[in-house]
C-alpha cells in the first residue's frame, strides 16, 4: 500500500516540474512521503483553493508551492490553510524570476509564506526546510539532517583536496 503523503508539492505549470523535482528529490532522500500536483492560482483557481483547503484534512503537514511570473500560488494556497506554506519563485519570463520572487515574498501581514531563493537552490532548500520542520516531531529526521550536512562537508573537503593536488 502507498504511504499517505505528508508534504504537498504544488506548482503552477508542468514547465515548473524540472525545478520542483529538486524539492521532491530531497524528500525522497529523507524518505518523506509527498504528493506532486499541478494547479495554478490564475488558470485553475477553484481547484487550487480546494487543494489547499483539503490538504490538512488528508494528513498533509507542509505545503511547498512553486510558481513563476505573477506568482500568487503560494499566497493563495496559504490563504486557505493554516499549514506552513513554503514558496519557491520560478525563474523564466521576461524578469527571470525576480517578478516571482517579489510576488511570493511580499505577502501582506497576516498570511505568511516562507519564501526560498529563485529556482533550483530554492526548491532544494524548500525540501530541506520541510524536512527540518518535520524533524521537530520526528527525531530520526533531525539525525538524518545532521548526517546530510556531515556528508556535504566531506564532499567539499574532497573537492578541496583535489584542488590542492592539481
Ligand atoms: C506560472 O506561470 C507557472 O508557475 C509558470 O512558472 C509560469 C509560466 O507558465 P507556462 O506558460 O510555462 O505554463 O503560472
Amino acid at each position: 500500500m502507498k504511504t499517505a503523503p505528508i508534504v504537498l508539492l504544488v506548482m503552477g505549470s508542468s514547465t515548473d516540474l524540472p525545478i520542483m523535482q529538486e524539492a521532491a528529490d530531497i524528500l525522497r532522500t529523507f524518505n518523506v512521503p509527498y504528493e506532486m500536483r499541478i494547479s495554478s492560482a490564475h488558470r485553475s483557481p477553484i481547484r487550487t483553493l480546494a487543494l489547499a483547503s483539503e490538504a490538512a484534512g488528508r494528513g498533509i503537514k507542509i505545503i511547498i508551492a512553486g510558481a513563476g511570473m505573477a506568482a500568487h500560488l503560494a499566497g493563495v494556497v496559504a490563504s486557505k490553510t493554516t499549514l506552513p506554506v513554503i514558496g519557491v519563485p520560478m525563474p523564466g519570463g521576461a524578469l527571470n524570476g525576480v517578478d516571482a520572487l517579489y510576488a511570493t515574498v511580499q505577502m501582506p501581514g497576516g498570511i505568511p509564506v516562507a519564501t526560498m531563493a529563485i529556482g533550483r537552490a530554492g526548491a532544494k532548500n524548500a525540501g530541506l526546510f520541510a524536512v527540518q520542520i518535520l524533524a521537530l516531531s520526528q527525531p530520526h529526521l533531525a539525525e538524518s539532517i545532521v548526517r546530510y550536512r556531515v556528508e556535504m562537508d566531506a564532499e567539499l573537503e574532497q573537492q578541496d583536496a583535489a584542488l590542492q593536488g592539481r
Side-chain angles (χ1 to χ4, degrees):
M1 205 177 71
K2 214 179 144 201
T3 322
I6 57 171
V7 177
L8 169 63
L9 289 166
V10 58
M11 65 205 87
S13 167
S14 62
T15 58
D16 301 324
L17 188 53
I19 287 172
M20 290 300 279
Q21 190 60 48
E22 296 274 349
D25 289 347
I26 288 289
L27 296 173
R28 185 170 300 135
T29 299
F30 286 90
N31 287 317
V32 171
Y34 64 89
E35 174 184 273
M36 269 183 144
R37 302 293 294 269
I38 296 170
S39 193
S40 160
H42 305 112
R43 293 166 173 162
S44 47
I46 308 291
R47 219 158 46 76
T48 298
L49 293 176
L51 204 53
S53 56
E54 290 162 11
R58 58 192 186 86
I60 299 290
K61 304 281 182 227
I62 300 165
I63 302 177
I64 299 175
M69 302 180 77
H72 296 124
L73 183 60
V76 164
V77 166
S79 76
K80 294 297 280 184
T81 182
T82 55
L83 296 174
V85 175
I86 306 171
V88 186
M90 292 295 130
L95 303 181
N96 206 16
V98 174
D99 43 1
L101 172 67
Y102 285 169
T104 306
V105 78
Q106 286 291 59
M107 286 297 290
I111 307 289
V113 166
T115 305
M116 301 289 120
I118 300 169
R120 287 186 187 280
K124 184 174 187 174
N125 281 345
L128 288 166
F129 197 59
V131 176
Q132 287 179 223
I133 296 172
L134 294 168
L136 292 171
S137 55
Q138 298 187 44
H140 76 277
L141 286 177
E143 288 162 23
S144 301
I145 289 274
V146 171
R147 269 199 308 277
Y148 177 85
R149 291 187 178 189
V150 167
E151 282 164 20
M152 211 163 38
D153 181 23
E155 204 177 300
L156 278 182
E157 216 172 303
Q158 269 180 19
Q159 288 175 12
D160 182 52
L163 180 66
Q164 302 316 310
R166 267 202 333 193

